[in-house]
């Protein structure tokens, strides 16, 4: 049997002289409390000029090198994370693994060896399965994921929404976490209508008993909107960019927990709030009207959206007027659905237009 070369040697060989692979850490927050829940470890090529991008470089690696790359990333990430936090402050670490790695006989042993070496609890490790189309060896994949989860490690399905196979994979693979691809959240300021995807995914994830992480949260407004929709976890430049291990402690010490509230703090937040109202109306379509709603409907200035508009003096805008108009028809979803729908859509449309044009209040 050939002697196994240490993975660090192989990665150094691939990287070339003076270069190495290091994890950069990007925080993932609990969007309900605003607190930091964990970090995704992202592979970065490091040379004498510092941290560089990685994607192009990784695409050219042979399969055998990718297993070694994973091993190196796991080792380095667990070394950092095992030292971070304490009894009062625990974080999980999320590490990317390409699909075929889960089918490699050596994979599970590499993972358990890494955990053992650093004394790192399995319950604080997440392995992200990269999404890239339909799974070839479905049975093998299911078995591998089940064994990993049997150790107490959680599994996430990464980049949900980038492959046509997403829904089938969600249905088939035994995973704990769904990570919505950053393409959905990133563009929300320009196309607020896309919040409907987040809302539907939240509902799907909840129904399936899975945790949803939304990636690509680039601004405070996007975070605000997602918090209102009830997203559980969020990650993106608006919270923090990926950072070298040496910066993580000081970032944590200066991180200001955002106000966790169900009240909108931005126009995009009011759009999210409207979506939840519309969704609730649809769910209640064949139910009696909730008593509290009669009062809420009667006063367009007293709902969460109305209060935000009052604070920012926005009632006389086109969308402010459309909001009042919607309140007039808000409770008629069961008796005159077309009228209700027109009101709901008119408000959503004028508000989305204002957001896309950058009329922040
Ligand atoms: O596929 P995966 O989700 O693991 O990719 C993460 C990549 O996305 C990293 O390279 C990271 O730097 C980048 N990234 C993380 N957050 C954001 C964001 O808010 N906006 C953009 N454009 N890229 C992000
Ligand atoms: Mn990922």
């Amino acid at each position: 049997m050939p002697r196994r070369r240490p993975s660090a040697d192989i990665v150094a060989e691939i990287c070339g002289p003076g270069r190495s692979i290091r994890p950069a850490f990007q925080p993932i927050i609990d969007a309900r409390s605003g607190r930091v829940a964990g970090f995704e470890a992202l592979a970065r090529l490091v040379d004498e000029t510092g941290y560089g991008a990685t994607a192009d470089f990784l695409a050219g690696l042979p399969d055998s090198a990718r297993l070694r790359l994973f091993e190196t990333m796991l080792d380095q990430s667990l070394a950092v994370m095992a030292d971070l936090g304490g009894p009062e402050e625990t974080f999980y670490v999320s590490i990317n693994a390409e699909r075929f790695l889960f089918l490699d006989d050596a994979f599970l042993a590499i993972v358990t060896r890494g955990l053992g070496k650093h004394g790192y609890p399995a319950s604080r490790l997440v392995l992200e399965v990269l999404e890239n189309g339909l799974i070839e060896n479905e049975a093998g994949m299911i078995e591998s994921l089940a064994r990993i989860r049997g150790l107490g490690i959680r599994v996430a399905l990464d980049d949900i929404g980038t492959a046509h196979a997403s829904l089938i994979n969600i249905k088939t693979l035994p995973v704990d976490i769904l990570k919505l691809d950053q393409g959905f959240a990133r563009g929300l300021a320009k196309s607020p209508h896309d919040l409907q995807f987040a809302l539907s995914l939240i509902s799907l994830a909840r129904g399936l008993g899975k945790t949803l992480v939304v990636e690509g949260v680039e601004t405070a407004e996007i975070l605000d909107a997602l918090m209102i929709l009830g997203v559980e976890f969020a990650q993106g430049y608006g919270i923090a960019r990926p950072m070298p291990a040496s910066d993580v402690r000081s970032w944590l010490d200066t991180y200001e927990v955002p106000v966790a509230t169900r009240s909108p703090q931005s126009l995009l937040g009011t759009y999210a709030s409207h979506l939840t109202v519309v969704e609730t109306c649809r769910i209640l379509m064949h139910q009696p009207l909730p008593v509290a709603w009669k009062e809420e409907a009667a006063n367009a200035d007293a709902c969460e959206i109305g209060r935000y508009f009052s604070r920012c003096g926005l009632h006389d805008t086109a969308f402010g007027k459309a909001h009042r108009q919607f309140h007039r028809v808000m409770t008629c979803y069961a008796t005159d659905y077309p009228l209700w729908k027109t009101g709901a859509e008119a408000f959503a449309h004028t508000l989305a237009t204002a957001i896309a044009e950058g009329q922040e209040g």
Side-chain angles (χ1 to χ4, degrees), residues 40 42 96 128 130 158-159 179 215 235:
E40 177 172 356
L42 295 151
N96 296 286
E128 299 191 10
L130 302 180
D158 203 8
D159 304 326
K179 293 193 79 173
E215 299 191 73
Q235 176 183 354

Side-chain angles (χ1 to χ4, degrees), residues 261-282:
T261 166
R262 282 253 166 174
S263 308
Q265 313 286 314
S266 64
L267 267 194
L268 193 60
T270 63
Y271 190 92
S273 190
H274 178 57
L275 280 192
T276 65
V277 171
V278 167
E279 190 77 357
T280 310
C281 289
R282 291 216 167 98

Side-chain angles (χ1 to χ4, degrees), residues 265-267 306-315 317 360-361:
Q265 313 286 314
S266 64
L267 267 194
R307 282 209 291 260
Y308 179 82
F309 288 175
S310 298
R311 263 207 318 279
C312 302
L314 294 171
H315 281 299
T317 57
E360 184 50 71

Side-chain angles (χ1 to χ4, degrees), residues 167-339:
L167 279 178
I168 293 173
N169 292 341
I170 292 174
K171 189 161 110 68
T172 316
L173 296 180
V175 301
D176 305 280
I177 299 166
L178 305 176
K179 293 193 79 173
L180 185 60
D181 184 67
Q182 35 176 291
F184 289 89
R186 236 169 32 200
L188 283 174
K190 285 274 166 282
S191 57
H193 290 295
D194 289 350
L195 268 176
Q196 188 64 53
F197 284 96
L199 184 59
S200 301
L201 255 298
I202 290 167
S203 167
L204 180 66
R206 257 189 213 139
L208 297 172
K210 302 194 190 298
T211 299
L212 183 70
V213 180
V214 177
E215 299 191 73
V217 178
E218 288 194 339
T219 64
E221 288 74 28
I222 295 174
L223 181 60
D224 177 40
L226 294 174
M227 280 174 149
I228 285 166
L229 293 189
V231 161
E232 288 177 85
F233 294 93
Q235 176 183 354
Y237 291 173
I239 298 156
R241 289 184 173 251
M243 62 189 93
S246 53
D247 290 355
V248 172
R249 186 66 258 172
S250 61
W251 179 82
L252 276 170
D253 292 340
T254 51
Y255 172 68
E256 282 179 42
V257 177
V259 189
T261 166
R262 282 253 166 174
S263 308
Q265 313 286 314
S266 64
L267 267 194
L268 193 60
T270 63
Y271 190 92
S273 190
H274 178 57
L275 280 192
T276 65
V277 171
V278 167
E279 190 77 357
T280 310
C281 289
R282 291 216 167 98
I283 291 167
L284 293 174
M285 197 86 75
H286 306 290
Q287 309 280 329
L289 186 69
V291 176
W293 275 46
K294 284 202 175 122
E295 284 168 29
E296 179 155 338
N299 188 354
D301 300 351
C303 74
E304 292 288 5
I305 297 170
R307 282 209 291 260
Y308 179 82
F309 288 175
S310 298
R311 263 207 318 279
C312 302
L314 294 171
H315 281 299
D316 293 329
T317 57
F319 57 86
K321 288 175 188 154
H323 174 244
R324 286 194 167 132
Q325 181 55 31
F326 174 56
H327 269 263
R328 274 178 220 118
V329 301
M330 189 175 140
T331 58
C332 75
Y333 52 81
T335 51
D336 190 345
Y337 180 71
L339 184 68

